[in-house]
PDB file of all heavy atoms in Angstrom:
ATOM      1  N   VAL W 104      96.267 128.476 -20.346  1.00 96.00           N
ATOM      2  CA  VAL W 104      95.612 127.183 -20.164  1.00 96.00           C
ATOM      3  C   VAL W 104      95.788 126.644 -18.747  1.00 96.00           C
ATOM      4  O   VAL W 104      95.304 125.558 -18.444  1.00 96.00           O
ATOM      5  CB  VAL W 104      96.128 126.156 -21.195  1.00 96.00           C
ATOM      6  CG1 VAL W 104      95.873 126.641 -22.604  1.00 96.00           C
ATOM      7  CG2 VAL W 104      97.607 125.807 -21.008  1.00 96.00           C
ATOM      8  N   PHE W 105      96.497 127.380 -17.892  1.00 98.00           N
ATOM      9  CA  PHE W 105      96.663 126.922 -16.522  1.00 98.00           C
ATOM     10  C   PHE W 105      96.778 128.126 -15.575  1.00 98.00           C
ATOM     11  O   PHE W 105      97.020 129.240 -15.974  1.00 98.00           O
ATOM     12  CB  PHE W 105      97.881 126.009 -16.369  1.00 98.00           C
ATOM     13  CG  PHE W 105      99.172 126.584 -16.875  1.00 98.00           C
ATOM     14  CD1 PHE W 105      99.865 127.591 -16.180  1.00 98.00           C
ATOM     15  CD2 PHE W 105      99.748 126.128 -18.057  1.00 98.00           C
ATOM     16  CE1 PHE W 105     101.058 128.110 -16.614  1.00 98.00           C
ATOM     17  CE2 PHE W 105     100.936 126.638 -18.531  1.00 98.00           C
ATOM     18  CZ  PHE W 105     101.602 127.648 -17.792  1.00 98.00           C
ATOM     19  N   HIS W 106      96.554 127.825 -14.298  1.00 97.00           N
ATOM     20  CA  HIS W 106      96.824 128.785 -13.217  1.00 97.00           C
ATOM     21  C   HIS W 106      98.149 128.385 -12.582  1.00 97.00           C
ATOM     22  O   HIS W 106      98.430 127.208 -12.406  1.00 97.00           O
ATOM     23  CB  HIS W 106      95.743 128.731 -12.141  1.00 97.00           C
ATOM     24  CG  HIS W 106      94.353 128.903 -12.653  1.00 97.00           C
ATOM     25  ND1 HIS W 106      93.764 130.142 -12.831  1.00 97.00           N
ATOM     26  CD2 HIS W 106      93.395 127.982 -12.979  1.00 97.00           C
ATOM     27  CE1 HIS W 106      92.542 129.990 -13.277  1.00 97.00           C
ATOM     28  NE2 HIS W 106      92.279 128.696 -13.372  1.00 97.00           N
ATOM     29  N   PHE W 107      98.969 129.366 -12.205  1.00 98.00           N
ATOM     30  CA  PHE W 107     100.237 129.046 -11.570  1.00 98.00           C
ATOM     31  C   PHE W 107     100.576 130.059 -10.487  1.00 98.00           C
ATOM     32  O   PHE W 107     100.416 131.266 -10.699  1.00 98.00           O
ATOM     33  CB  PHE W 107     101.386 128.992 -12.585  1.00 98.00           C
ATOM     34  CG  PHE W 107     102.725 128.710 -11.971  1.00 98.00           C
ATOM     35  CD1 PHE W 107     102.987 127.471 -11.396  1.00 98.00           C
ATOM     36  CD2 PHE W 107     103.709 129.705 -11.938  1.00 98.00           C
ATOM     37  CE1 PHE W 107     104.225 127.231 -10.798  1.00 98.00           C
ATOM     38  CE2 PHE W 107     104.933 129.453 -11.344  1.00 98.00           C
ATOM     39  CZ  PHE W 107     105.196 128.215 -10.774  1.00 98.00           C
ATOM     40  N   GLN W 108     101.021 129.527  -9.355  1.00 97.00           N
ATOM     41  CA  GLN W 108     101.489 130.371  -8.263  1.00 97.00           C
ATOM     42  C   GLN W 108     102.862 129.863  -7.862  1.00 97.00           C
ATOM     43  O   GLN W 108     103.029 128.688  -7.494  1.00 97.00           O
ATOM     44  CB  GLN W 108     100.537 130.254  -7.081  1.00 97.00           C
ATOM     45  CG  GLN W 108     101.036 130.849  -5.791  1.00 97.00           C
ATOM     46  CD  GLN W 108     100.099 130.507  -4.643  1.00 97.00           C
ATOM     47  OE1 GLN W 108      98.964 130.987  -4.611  1.00 97.00           O
ATOM     48  NE2 GLN W 108     100.548 129.695  -3.692  1.00 97.00           N
ATOM     49  N   GLN W 109     103.870 130.700  -7.977  1.00 98.00           N
ATOM     50  CA  GLN W 109     105.249 130.271  -7.645  1.00 98.00           C
ATOM     51  C   GLN W 109     105.481 130.345  -6.149  1.00 98.00           C
ATOM     52  O   GLN W 109     105.133 131.360  -5.511  1.00 98.00           O
ATOM     53  CB  GLN W 109     106.260 131.124  -8.385  1.00 98.00           C
ATOM     54  CG  GLN W 109     107.669 130.625  -8.235  1.00 98.00           C
ATOM     55  CD  GLN W 109     108.655 131.399  -9.095  1.00 98.00           C
ATOM     56  OE1 GLN W 109     109.284 132.352  -8.639  1.00 98.00           O
ATOM     57  NE2 GLN W 109     108.767 131.017 -10.345  1.00 98.00           N
ATOM     58  N   GLY W 110     106.067 129.309  -5.611  1.00 98.00           N
ATOM     59  CA  GLY W 110     106.314 129.239  -4.177  1.00 98.00           C
ATOM     60  C   GLY W 110     107.748 129.456  -3.777  1.00 98.00           C
ATOM     61  O   GLY W 110     108.594 129.818  -4.619  1.00 98.00           O
ATOM     62  N   THR W 111     108.048 129.180  -2.513  1.00 98.00           N
ATOM     63  CA  THR W 111     109.373 129.476  -1.950  1.00 98.00           C
ATOM     64  C   THR W 111     110.015 128.278  -1.261  1.00 98.00           C
ATOM     65  O   THR W 111     111.059 128.412  -0.646  1.00 98.00           O
ATOM     66  CB  THR W 111     109.252 130.625  -0.925  1.00 98.00           C
ATOM     67  OG1 THR W 111     108.299 130.252   0.090  1.00 98.00           O
ATOM     68  CG2 THR W 111     108.791 131.920  -1.581  1.00 98.00           C
ATOM     69  N   VAL W 112     109.379 127.115  -1.352  1.00 98.00           N
ATOM     70  CA  VAL W 112     109.910 125.888  -0.779  1.00 98.00           C
ATOM     71  C   VAL W 112     109.958 124.808  -1.859  1.00 98.00           C
ATOM     72  O   VAL W 112     109.287 124.966  -2.890  1.00 98.00           O
ATOM     73  CB  VAL W 112     109.070 125.425   0.453  1.00 98.00           C
ATOM     74  CG1 VAL W 112     109.058 126.470   1.540  1.00 98.00           C
ATOM     75  CG2 VAL W 112     107.668 125.040   0.023  1.00 98.00           C
ATOM     76  N   PRO W 113     110.683 123.704  -1.651  1.00 98.00           N
ATOM     77  CA  PRO W 113     110.819 122.694  -2.692  1.00 98.00           C
ATOM     78  C   PRO W 113     109.586 121.794  -2.813  1.00 98.00           C
ATOM     79  O   PRO W 113     109.688 120.559  -2.719  1.00 98.00           O
ATOM     80  CB  PRO W 113     112.059 121.910  -2.271  1.00 98.00           C
ATOM     81  CG  PRO W 113     112.103 122.054  -0.787  1.00 98.00           C
ATOM     82  CD  PRO W 113     111.601 123.433  -0.521  1.00 98.00           C
TER      83      PRO W 113
END
Side-chain angles (χ1 to χ4, degrees):
V104 302
F105 54 74
H106 306 274
F107 178 67
Q108 169 188 293
Q109 188 175 94
T111 57
V112 300

